């Protein structure tokens, strides 16, 4: 690896990591399929921009994963692989752009934020709703926007560039199945936007203004949690204690995210609460967020939520499901005691709460 002291940070090229996704797919007789030669295809696409915009693009290098990830089939193993890839290469580059499928893009961005704590340069995740060469595709616009934000040293966190917006990775969700403006940040303002042809970073909204030290990457092994080690349980009217218990009593389960109603309510069913308390007592890490996409929860504010609090369920406040799940996986993969895991879950680590 090149020494980080040979060239100033601003003179190092960006790294573009192609992991897969619709952006790099091509039409085949059987439908869309991963396409090769991504470096040349990206260069051809960027060469169609007006000359002045081409001239102002940052220098970049491309590394393509030999086997593109189908993002709909991604697991924490893929999060771990990508986190370690970035950690091994980031010092040679002024910033990183990750090209990723949109289905689980927000999940990957959330996990990267927890793995790459203390970032001192941008990691920008993007993708597209249409292939790069498709007529009217959003791919080129997203690629250009990601490159420009990744070259801004004032951005020092994992972010998502998509649909003319820059969103905090741990605050973003895929909101539309087909619209080009596919991602939203329901409980945190945008970090930046495209204004005319400029990528404008809004001051005071990012992590860079906080007191920072050296990068403190945490790259634990997620393997033991990759096959259902953390469950996501969405409550519905009529849910039975036996159904919740069937999940929580699985010895392979280490944690669970509950999606409860409103501001933190759940059925006052003694059997249900007993199942939660038993799992919590066994050291399984339980947290709750609201099914409502906007707003926060406060467990115990209503009488209907007191049982959750007594059962040891932690409040996820206004966290997204993607960020809450990724954080549970990240904490459970580390050699921490129960009290420290709970403390860290309840502590903002990368602007997720």
């Amino acid at each position: 690896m090149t020494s980080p002291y040979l060239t100033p940070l601003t003179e190092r090229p960006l790294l573009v990591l192609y992991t897969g996704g619709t952006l790099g797919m091509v039409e085949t007789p059987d439908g869309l399929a991963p396409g090769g030669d991504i470096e040349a295809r990206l260069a051809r696409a960027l060469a169609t921009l007006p000359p002045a915009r081409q001239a102002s693009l940052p220098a970049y290098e491309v590394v393509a994963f030999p086997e593109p990830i189908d993002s709909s089939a991604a697991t924490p193993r893929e999060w771990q692989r990508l986190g370690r890839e970035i950690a091994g290469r980031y010092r040679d580059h002024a910033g990183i752009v990750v090209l990723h499928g949109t289905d689980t893009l927000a999940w990957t961005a959330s996990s990267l934020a927890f793995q790459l704590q203390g970032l001192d340069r941008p990691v920008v995740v993007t993708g597209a709703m249409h292939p790069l060469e498709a007529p009217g595709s959003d791919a080129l616009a997203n690629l250009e926007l990601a490159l420009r934000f990744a070259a801004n040293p004032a951005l020092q966190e994992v972010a998502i560039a998509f649909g003319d917006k820059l969103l905090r990775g741990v605050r973003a969700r895929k909101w539309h199945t087909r619209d080009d403006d596919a991602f939203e940040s329901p409980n945190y303002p945008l970090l930046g936007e495209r204004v005319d042809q400029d990528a404008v970073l809004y001051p005071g909204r990012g992590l860079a203004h906080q007191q920072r030290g050296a990068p403190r990457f945490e790259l634990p092994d997620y393997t033991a949690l990759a096959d259902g080690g953390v469950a996501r349980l969405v409550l519905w009217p009529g849910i039975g204690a036996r159904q919740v218990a069937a999940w929580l009593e699985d010895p392979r389960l280490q944690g669970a995210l509950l999606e409860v109603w409103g501001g933190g309510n759940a059925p006052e069913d003694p059997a249900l609460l007993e199942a939660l308390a038993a799992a919590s007592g066994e050291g399984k890490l339980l947290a709750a967020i609201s099914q409502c996409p906007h707003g926060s929860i406060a467990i115990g504010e209503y009488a209907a939520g007191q049982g959750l609090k007594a059962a040891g369920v932690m409040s996820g406040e206004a966290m997204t499901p993607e960020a809450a799940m990724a954080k549970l996986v990240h904490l459970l993969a580390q050699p921490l005691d129960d009290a420290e895991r709970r403390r860290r879950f309840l502590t903002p680590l990368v602007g997720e709460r």
Side-chain angles (χ1 to χ4, degrees):
M1 181 181 291
T2 304
S3 167
Y5 302 106
L6 293 180
T7 56
L9 182 62
T10 54
E11 295 180 16
R12 295 174 223 169
L14 303 181
L15 173 65
V16 177
L17 278 173
Y18 172 65
T19 69
T22 299
L23 181 147
M25 290 186 174
V26 295
E27 290 282 0
T28 74
D30 297 321
L32 293 175
D37 200 19
I38 191 66
E39 183 172 5
R41 293 168 61 203
L42 295 177
R44 285 195 296 270
L46 291 168
T48 66
L49 293 171
R53 278 164 55 193
Q54 287 186 53
S56 64
L57 285 172
Y60 66 90
E61 298 173 357
V62 178
V63 171
F65 280 17
E67 296 182 7
I69 297 170
D70 177 353
S71 77
S72 65
T75 74
R77 291 188 188 90
E78 283 69 42
W79 303 346
Q80 175 181 314
R81 175 187 176 193
L82 183 54
R84 293 184 178 187
E85 186 79 17
I86 293 171
R89 296 178 179 272
Y90 91 107
R91 288 192 178 278
D92 291 334
H93 301 279
I96 314 288
V97 172
V98 178
L99 304 180
H100 194 285
T102 61
D103 283 342
T104 59
L105 188 151
W107 297 80
T108 295
S110 292
S111 178
L112 289 177
F114 293 118
Q115 293 183 72
L116 306 174
Q117 294 179 47
L119 271 172
D120 59 359
R121 66 202 71 187
V123 172
V124 181
V125 189
T126 194
M129 303 301 286
H130 311 281
L132 192 61
E133 292 87 1
S137 174
D138 59 329
L140 176 58
N142 289 343
L143 172 64
E144 181 189 5
L145 189 67
L147 288 170
R148 296 194 185 282
F149 275 122
N152 189 334
L155 178 63
Q156 298 183 4
E157 60 183 285
V158 177
I160 293 172
F162 212 99
D164 294 335
K165 300 182 293 190
L166 187 73
L167 309 91
R168 173 164 291 167
V170 285
R171 292 285 191 154
R173 305 195 68 189
K174 186 176 181 183
W175 214 245
H176 302 283
T177 61
R178 296 187 181 276
D179 289 357
D180 290 351
D181 186 15
F183 288 82
E184 294 287 345
S185 180
N187 291 306
Y188 195 78
L190 299 178
L191 297 181
E193 287 183 275
R194 186 195 305 273
V195 178
D196 295 327
Q197 298 305 324
D198 296 325
V200 176
L201 193 66
Y202 295 135
R205 297 184 182 180
L207 296 178
H209 70 284
Q210 300 177 4
Q211 186 68 32
R212 308 176 68 86
R216 49 191 185 281
F217 292 176
E218 296 178 355
L219 302 167
D221 187 354
Y222 289 166
T223 303
L225 294 143
D227 297 315
V230 177
R232 180 182 177 185
L233 305 178
V234 182
L235 301 189
W236 69 87
I239 188 171
R242 60 178 175 79
Q243 294 167 308
V244 174
W247 279 96
L248 298 182
E249 291 172 1
D250 187 329
R252 296 165 293 185
L253 190 77
Q254 298 184 46
L257 177 66
L258 307 177
E259 294 190 28
V260 300
W261 291 301
N265 299 324
E268 295 186 75
D269 178 350
L272 172 63
L273 298 174
E274 182 179 340
L276 295 173
S280 185
E282 292 170 2
K284 295 180 178 180
L285 202 60
L286 307 184
I289 59 172
S290 178
Q291 294 180 22
C292 301
H294 293 268
S296 184
I297 69 169
I299 293 177
E301 182 178 0
Y302 287 84
Q306 288 291 342
L308 293 175
K309 185 175 182 181
V313 178
M314 300 177 295
S315 171
E317 295 182 349
M319 291 175 69
T320 65
E322 296 86 346
M325 287 283 286
K327 190 171 186 179
L328 289 172
V329 169
H330 186 71
L331 295 176
L332 287 163
Q334 298 182 66
L336 306 170
D337 61 34
D338 292 347
E340 180 61 12
R341 285 197 180 106
R342 293 177 66 86
R343 186 192 71 79
R344 292 196 191 186
F345 185 85
L346 296 169
T347 301
L349 300 180
V350 286
E352 75 281 8
R353 57 182 298 154

